[in-house]
């Protein structure tokens, strides 16, 4: 009984993270019923991954920008502009794909550096700079394309947007075995990593999840990964863009959780002045954030162009809204300082499932926009409601179960007094926000 009580207390104290995951499951089950089982058919699951890959790539960079307390309204225009540049390089100039792709990523980095300079070193709010960028790069897209689409692209680039890993069985098996191997391997790696992290936290006497909740969560996620593996292996295997996305998620999750740069991003978003006082080079971190956002927008533009096999004047329209919505639905705080890459991925999947499910049901774009807007409003409203009720100190329900979710703060009266001869002008420790 005490284990159940402890697990329930921990669960409610993590209402923000758990709630979004539960919402994704409920939305999937709802559309699975409404579409008579079409949503989770192998072909549709594969399409769901490919169709939303560029939004998920953008959401990774966007959640980092939002955590730092900024916003980027230009990512859709940048993605469209990079698609146009790729079309000129590969189709008009005849550049090889292996040369054009790095060149496009470099152009994306330069675009990010341009915007990052105005934001970080000139001090213009990101909202204004990226709003201007949205207009600038939309105009450059039209100028580059001369208001006409460019097609076709090399098969190597098209594989990035809609290709699959090779079938090692040669098409003679019901399941695609390379996908099975990758899926089972990833599941085992996830379980081993979870056990390793739990052992480390226990070793250093850090806050840990109750065993019952940890076992339930790990088992559920492992089963979910195996089900997705089976569905993908039942169709054409693993989309190449899913491999790219997995590498990005793992890399950026490690960057935000385990690196100095990630800690500085959370510190800037949590309290800018405290971060400056603690020695964080806030301007440099902000500049690098927007350079990174430019590179990810360029990659998203390449994936989108590759999937359509065409660079279009309207390419990237509305991408910024979907990526921002994915970050906020995934738990990023409006004020900054809070958010995770994994949460943004779940938020992006919710948007993708909504788009896909409503398209299968035949709902028009008017109703789709209406429903997605309501979902975004509810997600942000729930975040603010939860914060107001808890005063930022955890869930009220969780407090009733008396589960302590954070170590007690050290008050001034409890701070150790200076020893004789010790200077009273010691630097005051500045609190730095930690990722959730």
């Amino acid at each position: 009984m005490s284990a159940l009580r402890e697990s329930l207390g921990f669960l409610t104290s993590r209402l923000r993270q758990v709630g979004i995951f539960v919402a994704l499951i409920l939305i999937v089950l709802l559309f699975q019923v409404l579409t008579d089982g079409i949503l989770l058919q192998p072909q549709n699951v594969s399409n769901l991954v490919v169709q939303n890959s560029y939004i998920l790539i953008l959401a990774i960079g966007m959640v980092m920008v939002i955590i730092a307390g900024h916003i980027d309204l230009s990512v859709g225009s940048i993605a469209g502009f990079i698609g146009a540049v790729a079309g000129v390089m590969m189709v008009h100039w005849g550049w090889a794909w292996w040369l054009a792709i790095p060149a496009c990523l470099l152009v994306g980095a330069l675009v990010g550096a341009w915007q990052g300079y105005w934001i970080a070193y000139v001090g213009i709010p990101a909202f204004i700079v990226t709003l201007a960028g949205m207009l600038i790069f939309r105009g450059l897209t039209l100028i580059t394309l001369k208001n006409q689409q460019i097609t076709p692209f090399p098969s190597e680039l098209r594989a990035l947007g809609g290709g699959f890993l090779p079938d090692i069985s040669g098409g003679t098996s019901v399941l695609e075995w390379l996908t099975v191997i990758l899926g089972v391997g990833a599941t085992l790696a996830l379980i081993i990593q979870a056990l390793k992290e739990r052992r480390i936290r226990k070793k250093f006497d850090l806050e840990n999840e109750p065993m019952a909740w940890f076992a339930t969560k790990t088992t559920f996620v492992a089963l979910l990964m195996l089900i997705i593996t089976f569905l993908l292996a039942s169709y054409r295997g693993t989309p190449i863009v899913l491999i790219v996305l997995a590498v990005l998620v793992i890399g950026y999750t490690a960057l935000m959780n385990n690196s100095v740069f990630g800690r500085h991003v959370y510190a800037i978003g949590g309290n800018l002045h405290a971060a400056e006082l603690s020695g964080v080079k806030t301007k440099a971190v902000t500049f690098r954030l927007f350079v990174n956002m430019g590179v990810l927008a360029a990659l998203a533009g390449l994936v989108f162009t590759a999937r359509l096999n065409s660079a279009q004047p309207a390419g990237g329209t509305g991408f910024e809204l979907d990526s921002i919505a994915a970050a906020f639905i995934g738990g990023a705080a409006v004020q900054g300082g809070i958010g995770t890459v994994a949460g943004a991925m779940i938020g992006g999947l919710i948007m993708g499932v909504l788009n896909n499910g409503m398209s299968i049901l035949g709902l028009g774009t008017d109703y789709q926009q209406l429903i997605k807007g309501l979902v975004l409003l509810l997600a942000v409203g729930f975040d603010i409601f939860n914060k107001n009720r808890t005063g930022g100190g955890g869930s009220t329900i969780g407090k009733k179960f008396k589960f302590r979710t954070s170590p007690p703060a050290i008050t001034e009266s409890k701070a150790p007094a200076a020893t004789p001869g010790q200077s009273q002008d010691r630097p005051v420790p500045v609190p730095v926000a930690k990722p959730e």
Side-chain angles (χ1 to χ4, degrees):
M1 189 64 184
S2 61
L4 178 62
R5 181 187 177 90
E6 187 181 18
S7 298
L8 190 57
F10 184 87
L11 195 64
T12 51
S13 71
R14 293 292 189 269
L15 205 56
R16 183 203 299 266
Q17 298 91 335
V18 176
I20 191 64
F21 195 66
V22 172
L24 173 61
I25 295 172
L26 292 178
I27 290 173
V28 169
L29 293 177
L30 174 65
F31 280 107
Q32 176 69 0
V33 173
L34 293 178
T35 59
D36 294 328
I38 296 177
L39 183 74
L40 292 182
Q41 286 184 357
Q43 181 177 355
N44 195 58
V45 172
S46 182
N47 290 337
L48 193 62
V49 173
V50 173
Q51 290 173 358
N52 294 281
S53 55
Y54 42 90
I55 297 299
L56 296 177
I57 292 172
L58 288 175
I60 294 173
M62 187 62 74
V63 75
M64 296 171 65
V65 169
I66 290 174
I67 289 171
H70 299 290
I71 197 74
D72 193 335
L73 301 177
S74 66
V75 292
S77 297
I78 296 174
F81 174 60
I82 295 300
V85 171
V88 171
M89 287 180 177
M90 295 187 199
V91 180
H92 289 179
W93 296 350
W95 285 22
W97 64 272
W98 52 265
L99 181 61
I101 289 178
C104 288
L105 296 178
L106 178 61
V107 173
L110 293 174
V111 168
W114 161 263
Q115 299 197 128
Y117 170 77
W118 291 104
I119 296 168
Y121 294 107
V122 179
I124 301 176
F127 178 85
I128 302 299
V129 173
T130 56
L131 179 63
M134 181 172 68
L135 300 174
I136 291 170
F137 297 109
R138 178 60 58 194
L140 286 176
T141 302
L142 297 175
I143 293 171
T144 304
L145 293 176
K146 298 178 181 176
N147 211 20
Q148 293 181 343
Q149 66 174 0
I150 297 178
T151 190
F153 281 83
S155 58
E156 292 86 354
L157 182 71
R158 295 203 302 271
L160 176 65
F164 293 81
L165 293 180
D167 187 351
I168 58 176
S169 64
T172 59
S173 175
V174 176
L175 295 178
E176 201 284 297
W177 286 104
L178 181 57
T179 299
V180 174
I181 294 171
L182 290 175
V184 173
T187 304
L188 291 175
L190 173 75
I191 295 173
I192 294 172
Q193 180 64 23
L195 293 171
K196 182 180 177 182
E197 288 183 1
R198 182 174 178 82
R199 187 172 64 250
I200 292 174
R201 296 184 70 82
K202 185 177 181 180
K203 178 180 178 181
F204 290 100
D205 197 23
L206 298 174
E207 178 196 3
N208 223 336
E209 297 172 325
M211 188 60 198
W213 167 245
F214 172 78
T216 303
K217 184 190 73 173
T218 306
T219 304
F220 180 81
V221 174
L223 285 175
L224 187 62
M225 290 182 64
L226 291 176
I227 291 172
I228 294 175
T229 299
F230 173 77
L231 292 173
L232 292 177
S234 300
Y235 181 53
R236 294 179 59 186
T238 306
I240 293 176
V241 71
L242 181 59
I243 301 296
V244 175
L245 196 56
V247 171
L248 290 176
V249 170
I250 294 172
Y252 277 97
T253 299
L255 177 72
M256 293 300 288
N257 292 342
N258 304 324
S259 72
V260 174
F261 178 78
R263 293 284 179 184
H264 286 177
V265 172
Y266 280 105
I268 291 174
N271 190 323
L272 177 62
H273 296 297
E276 289 175 340
L277 290 173
S278 61
V280 176
K281 297 179 180 178
T282 56
K283 293 181 179 179
V285 172
T286 302
F287 179 78
R288 292 170 191 166
L289 266 180
F290 280 91
V291 172
N292 174 71
M293 186 71 256
V295 173
L296 290 177
L299 179 60
L302 288 171
V303 170
F304 179 72
T305 304
R307 176 173 168 269
L308 294 184
N309 189 24
S310 172
Q312 299 181 349
T317 303
F319 286 8
E320 60 279 350
L321 300 181
D322 284 340
S323 58
I324 291 171
F328 283 129
I329 292 174
V334 179
Q335 298 83 1
I338 295 175
T340 60
V341 173
M345 293 298 96
I346 295 176
L349 288 175
I350 287 178
M351 296 292 291
V353 171
L354 285 173
N355 285 329
N356 187 268
M358 290 189 290
S359 297
I360 295 174
L361 292 174
L363 291 180
T365 54
D366 45 359
Y367 284 99
Q368 292 190 25
Q369 298 292 338
L370 170 67
I371 293 173
K372 287 193 295 184
L374 289 174
V375 170
L376 174 61
L377 186 62
L378 288 174
V380 178
F382 174 76
D383 174 45
I384 294 176
F385 171 77
N386 192 45
K387 186 178 297 180
N388 290 338
R389 281 182 60 85
T390 61
S395 167
T396 301
I397 304 173
K399 290 175 180 176
K400 292 183 178 179
F401 288 90
K402 299 179 180 179
F403 186 88
R404 183 165 57 83
T405 59
S406 59
I410 299 176
T411 60
E412 186 176 353
S413 59
K414 294 180 180 179
T419 57
Q422 185 177 3
S423 171
Q424 297 291 336
D425 296 327
R426 295 175 300 176
V428 178
V430 178
V432 176
K434 294 181 178 181
E436 290 192 344

